[in-house]
Amino acid sequence: MDGHIIASEARQLATIEERVFGVLDTIRRARRVQASVASRASPSISTARHSRPVTGLLFADDHLLMTTTPIIALDVSTAQDALELVDYFGDQCRFYKVGNELFTIAGPAIVRELRARDRDVFLDLKFHDIPNTVAGGVRNAAALGVRLVTVHAAGGSAMLDAAVEAAGDWCGVLAVTLLTSLDGAEVARAWGRTDPLDVGAEVLRLAELAVKAGAHGVVCSGREAASVRNRFADHLAILVPGVRASSGPANDQARVVTPKEAAESGATYVVIGRMVTGAADRRAALDSVLSALA
Ligand code: C5P
């Protein structure tokens, strides 16, 4: 192709890029104003000690643009297997979950490796302990450069407050409401109740604790995500695990949704595990997730 044409196309692209960034900036500013007005209008949120709208966090841009960010779960037992997956997916995915399986074998070093590869890390260790101990764990996770960290909402307000305080501004605390592997009857059995639990109501109750502590968001299944989004609007990011193709096996998960359902219910993030990492063609499986989220 002629050099002049290439140069002129490059200039046109740069102009378009500038305009797109301008529009995105306007959307961001508008959403921040909207969130701060909403936070003043809602007493249960504005009285929270550390309350801040989700939009106040640096990494809320995806949410501002109303997109759902996929996070691939590196549920493998060696650092090498984990990094092979990351290299395999390349630019298809920039956000990875390190959970109990990988962290207990590969430790903080795997988080540093991922950060060195410019990948965002969701450290899903689901802390549930006394406030001082949880604060120490969250502080160390934040210092490692972790973007998202989980604690159990059932740890209580003091624990959530301590976690949020320890996380600082870079790392977001997500409060796990009810594990997606549980249904109402199973939770009732675990908690010694005679009637099955109303999962939807319980998730909202726990989400309220998270909002009051100023947590970045909650973890819940896609089945409750829409009611959490309706109730708390932009004050909570929502991370949805338990994502499955409509024809795929649920495995040990009880409350599953498809990627499209998760996105439509208002999920900020979806955790993609075996549906992609266990597929015969992992790249094609991820492609189908990405097009369902688009
Ligand atoms: O393979 P699968 O899609 O079931 O993986 C789900 C991932 O999401 C796992 O890494 C699991 O630990 C995580 N997760 C979950 N339920 C939660 C929080 C996290 O399944 N409540």
Side-chain angles (χ1 to χ4, degrees):
M1 203 190 284
D2 178 271
H4 288 301
I5 300 176
I6 294 175
S8 127
E9 285 191 347
R11 272 195 303 278
Q12 277 175 16
L13 281 175
T15 313
I16 293 170
E17 199 174 35
E18 238 168 65
R19 282 195 196 136
V20 169
F21 280 123
V23 171
L24 293 184
D25 244 14
T26 310
I27 295 173
R28 283 187 193 113
R29 263 182 273 120
R31 301 279 299 173
R32 270 187 204 115
V33 171
Q34 190 192 36
S36 91
V37 169
S39 80
R40 283 198 292 275
S42 165
S44 67
I45 289 165
S46 60
T47 51
R49 197 152 65 88
H50 307 291
S51 180
R52 54 189 177 187
V54 171
T55 45
L57 288 177
L58 289 172
F59 53 108
D61 288 13
D62 288 331
H63 178 65
L64 296 180
L65 301 176
M66 296 299 184
T67 56
T68 304
T69 301
I71 302 177
I72 291 184
L74 297 172
D75 289 330
V76 290
S77 282
T78 69
Q80 191 187 336
D81 285 350
L83 295 174
E84 271 173 23
L85 277 174
V86 173
D87 291 341
Y88 172 83
F89 289 120
D91 284 339
Q92 267 191 309
C93 182
R94 306 201 65 80
F95 214 140
Y96 288 90
K97 172 198 141 148
V98 174
N100 288 308
E101 182 178 351
L102 182 58
F103 196 76
T104 46
I105 195 86
I110 188 66
V111 176
R112 291 194 192 99
E113 272 293 335
L114 290 165
R115 295 296 301 129
R117 285 163 201 244
D118 202 22
R119 295 299 183 261
D120 281 320
V121 178
F122 163 37
L123 187 64
D124 184 24
L125 299 182
K126 300 190 181 71
F127 294 127
H128 191 165
D129 208 318
I130 60 171
N132 187 54
T133 303
V134 167
V138 170
R139 195 175 305 112
N140 289 342
L144 273 176
V146 159
R147 272 297 210 179
L148 296 172
V149 68
T150 40
V151 302
H152 272 285
S157 291
M159 194 206 78
L160 289 170
D161 282 349
V164 171
E165 187 95 55
D169 281 339
W170 167 261
C171 177
V173 173
L174 297 177
V176 178
T177 56
L178 289 178
L179 294 172
T180 42
S181 54
L182 302 171
D183 59 19
E186 183 69 21
V187 180
R189 268 196 297 281
W191 293 358
R193 306 218 185 146
T194 42
D195 296 330
L197 195 92
D198 180 344
V199 169
E202 192 59 21
V203 165
L204 285 176
R205 190 186 67 75
L206 291 165
E208 176 102 43
L209 289 185
V211 172
K212 286 188 170 154
H216 173 60
V218 290
V219 182
C220 64
S221 92
R223 298 188 188 177
E224 301 93 40
S227 58
V228 172
R229 175 66 66 224
N230 285 339
R231 174 90 164 262
F232 300 107
D234 287 339
H235 293 279
L236 282 180
I238 301 174
L239 181 140
V240 170
V243 174
R244 293 288 182 273
S246 50
S247 55
N251 310 109
D252 52 350
Q253 298 282 16
R255 302 185 338 268
V256 296
V257 293
T258 63
K260 195 169 172 48
E261 286 168 338
E264 284 173 357
S265 68
T268 320
Y269 313 97
V270 285
V271 177
I272 308 294
R274 288 163 287 185
M275 176 190 171
V276 162
T277 55
D281 183 344
R282 293 181 299 209
R283 194 161 285 131
L286 182 55
D287 270 342
S288 81
V289 171
L290 296 181
S291 41
L293 298 180

